[in-house]
Amino acid sequence: MDLNRELEIIELIKKEVKPALGCTEPIAVSLAVARSCEALREIGAEVGSVLVEVSANILKNGMGVGIPGTGMVGLHIASALAVTCGRSEYGLEVLKDLSTEAIAAAKEMVDAGRVKVVLAETPLKLYIKAWAYSGGPAAWDAQVAGSGAGVMAFPAHSAYTEIANNHDSIVSVVRDGEVLVGASGADASGDAASDKQAAGASAEKSTLDYKLSVKEILQFAREASFENIEFILDSVKLNKALADAGLNEDYGLKVGKTILAREHSSVFGSSVMTYAMAATAAASDARMAGCTLPAMSNSGSGNQGITVTMPVIAVAEKMGVGDEQLARALVLSHLVAIHIKGYLGKLSALCGCVIASTGSSCGIVYLKGGNYEQVCSAIKNMIGNITGMVCDGAKVGCALKVASGVSSSIQAAVLALDNICISSNDGIIEDCIEKTICNLGRIGAEGMQTTDKMILDIMVCK
């Protein structure tokens, strides 16, 4: 493979595979709020209140998920923590400086009604506009009414930050009407360290712009210099730590811990599948219940990052493979998920574990010495199996879907390695693997839009 192309693909991996502390939807809100707060503090103003406008999918995925270290769920506490301890320079680890004092102050801010979250009017699936005011909650009404200085409660200073299309893509920062970061991502002030990652969503290269194919992804996984892809092993360290936390402590629904406890029973039995399901679900248990350990995310999702990596890691451990073979399998797994996600967009009504477990199935096929046709068969077997699993928000119950995805992943890989593949006569499967992936993307991005709206309506009306 040409070195320039190899480096281009590595660029994509590094853009889409990164550490994230907490569920990425509320963390993206924290990132936006933190940047707005910094904009006010740069001129010596103190933050009095926060108003956050979010797209429907951000609201859906932020309503019921645990926020690290707080014992609370939702976007209000995520926003308040950004005020008390957030640092935008940390990106998706914005709350890394979490402390007991910061949590107490954030809870006090929420209890005092100084944080408000509303639904934004936007066609974007992933959109956040976070306002920070030096005034109190009455500033919100003035902002909405557009009455400005005509209302006594309107703050002396305000700032907003917009994030769009990617969880850490800051597309604008505006303070008192002055543009600090514009659509191009240029830092007008020139001295804000947090704006290093600010790249306008309109100018940012999308996954589809890389023009990947499954054939090229497999070629890359086989041929890329190990030195250039060794960094992917960081996902082993981070996601295994989360899995260990979930297996050893009582997080969420304890899906992973319960499965492993039945490892020697007649129900599950001692197998690679049982271990892979347990370890992957346990990492999700911990993460969704507010564990303070970061996950290595994929395509903006920690759960997807966990599901892309942990089944591959579990199989590799049982096989006793070395670091290089594991790294190549993980690169294949991550890239297949990124490739498929490019057709879906960052957020949709389709559960992300469908895509992530498809990636891990390919990684398992690779570890077992599978060829290109067998990798394609694994993808087709997955798409023919669990397409249609809906996302009804981020929550502790996600661990159940993760476990189901892992079970399907291993099943699909085993069948593929025996040259068993769903035929093009079945449903949305085509002979061409790229057309099959495109069909899945159309279902998730277009066909399930009404489903997405209905799910949100049900959730907000409970």
Side-chain angles (χ1 to χ4, degrees):
M1 175 176 285
D2 176 76
L3 179 59
N4 288 332
R5 181 57 172 166
E6 182 177 312
L7 295 176
E8 187 179 25
I9 295 173
I10 290 170
E11 171 191 79
L12 173 62
I13 297 172
K14 289 185 174 180
K15 186 175 79 166
E16 299 292 352
V17 180
K18 58 185 71 173
L21 177 60
C23 178
T24 45
E25 278 71 57
I27 290 303
V29 168
S30 296
L31 177 59
V33 172
R35 184 63 190 94
S36 296
C37 293
E38 289 161 1
L40 287 189
R41 289 169 184 149
E42 286 164 8
I43 58 171
E46 289 299 316
V47 179
S49 57
V50 171
L51 167 66
V52 183
E53 304 172 53
V54 297
S55 59
N57 285 74
I58 292 288
L59 183 63
K60 180 181 76 172
N61 281 350
M63 289 172 64
V65 68
I67 307 303
T70 66
M72 299 175 69
V73 300
L75 299 179
H76 287 78
I77 187 65
S79 301
L81 282 170
V83 178
T84 61
C85 70
R87 293 182 64 178
S88 68
E89 66 186 280
Y90 294 157
L92 295 179
E93 293 184 278
V94 58
L95 300 182
K96 191 162 62 173
D97 291 342
L98 198 70
S99 66
T100 302
E101 294 75 19
I103 293 170
K107 288 181 176 180
E108 183 180 334
M109 188 174 183
V110 172
D111 291 342
R114 293 193 288 127
V115 179
K116 186 173 184 178
V117 179
V118 299
L119 190 62
E121 294 183 10
T122 175
L124 296 178
K125 297 286 187 181
L126 198 166
Y127 177 79
I128 301 160
K129 187 174 186 179
W131 290 86
Y133 304 103
S134 61
W140 299 329
D141 297 329
Q143 182 65 51
V144 173
S147 50
V151 177
M152 292 293 290
F154 195 75
H157 299 286
S158 66
Y160 71 78
T161 298
E162 290 179 290
I163 285 178
N165 296 331
N166 291 297
H167 292 79
D168 57 352
S169 287
I170 295 175
V171 297
S172 68
V173 180
V174 178
R175 179 182 62 223
D176 294 339
E178 177 189 0
V179 177
L180 305 181
V181 176
S184 66
D187 180 6
S189 65
D191 59 1
S194 62
D195 294 329
K196 290 178 183 177
Q197 83 277 11
S202 60
E204 199 168 80
K205 194 173 181 180
S206 74
T207 299
L208 295 182
D209 290 332
Y210 287 84
K211 301 187 184 302
L212 287 174
S213 67
V214 174
K215 179 169 284 188
E216 186 181 35
I217 289 170
L218 181 58
Q219 180 189 4
F220 173 84
R222 286 171 170 165
E223 299 177 6
S225 164
F226 176 53
E227 186 179 66
N228 286 342
I229 62 170
E230 191 174 7
F231 69 89
I232 205 70
L233 294 175
D234 290 344
S235 61
V236 179
K237 179 181 178 181
L238 291 187
N239 292 342
K240 273 206 71 177
L242 268 173
D244 289 343
L247 291 173
N248 294 318
E249 301 175 42
D250 292 336
Y251 280 110
L253 298 179
K254 300 186 289 184
V255 177
K257 188 174 184 178
T258 302
I259 290 173
L260 193 64
R262 305 295 190 276
E263 185 180 17
H264 300 293
S265 71
S266 59
V267 178
F268 288 106
S270 180
S271 67
V272 174
M273 180 179 286
T274 298
Y275 175 60
M277 288 173 63
T280 312
S284 180
D285 282 323
R287 179 175 175 274
M288 304 312 283
C291 179
T292 55
L293 295 173
M296 186 64 82
S297 67
N298 179 292
S299 303
S301 167
N303 265 352
Q304 285 172 211
I306 288 166
T307 310
V308 159
T309 58
M310 286 309 303
V312 179
I313 294 166
V315 172
E317 286 180 352
K318 295 296 184 181
M319 290 177 63
V321 306
D323 284 350
E324 181 171 344
Q325 191 176 357
L326 174 56
R328 295 188 185 282
L330 287 172
V331 160
L332 175 63
S333 181
H334 275 290
L335 274 173
V336 167
I338 291 166
H339 178 47
I340 297 173
K341 197 70 176 173
Y343 289 92
L344 280 161
K346 286 293 189 290
L347 299 174
S348 76
L350 191 66
C351 177
C353 88
V354 174
I355 291 86
S357 53
T358 300
S360 64
S361 189
C362 295
I364 293 167
V365 169
Y366 180 86
L367 285 175
K368 292 289 187 177
N371 57 32
Y372 169 68
E373 288 73 21
Q374 290 167 328
V375 167
C376 291
S377 294
I379 296 172
K380 291 179 183 180
N381 290 343
M382 286 295 294
I383 292 176
N385 184 2
I386 58 174
T387 293
M389 184 186 290
V390 298
C391 171
D392 56 342
K395 59 208 174 301
V396 293
C398 289
L400 286 165
K401 295 184 180 183
V402 165
S404 297
V406 174
S407 172
S408 298
S409 170
I410 295 175
Q411 175 183 274
V414 168
L415 291 171
L417 288 164
D418 274 354
N419 300 311
I420 298 171
C421 179
I422 292 180
S423 80
S424 58
N425 294 322
D426 286 31
I428 64 171
I429 307 302
E430 307 233 14
D431 289 328
C432 173
I433 189 62
E434 301 305 329
K435 286 184 179 179
T436 302
I437 291 171
C438 184
N439 290 344
L440 174 65
R442 287 181 60 199
I443 288 172
E446 301 172 31
M448 297 181 74
Q449 287 192 28
T450 301
T451 302
D452 212 14
K453 292 176 182 177
M454 184 176 290
I455 289 170
L456 181 64
D457 185 54
I458 291 170
M459 290 174 66
V460 299
C461 292
K462 286 198 297 184

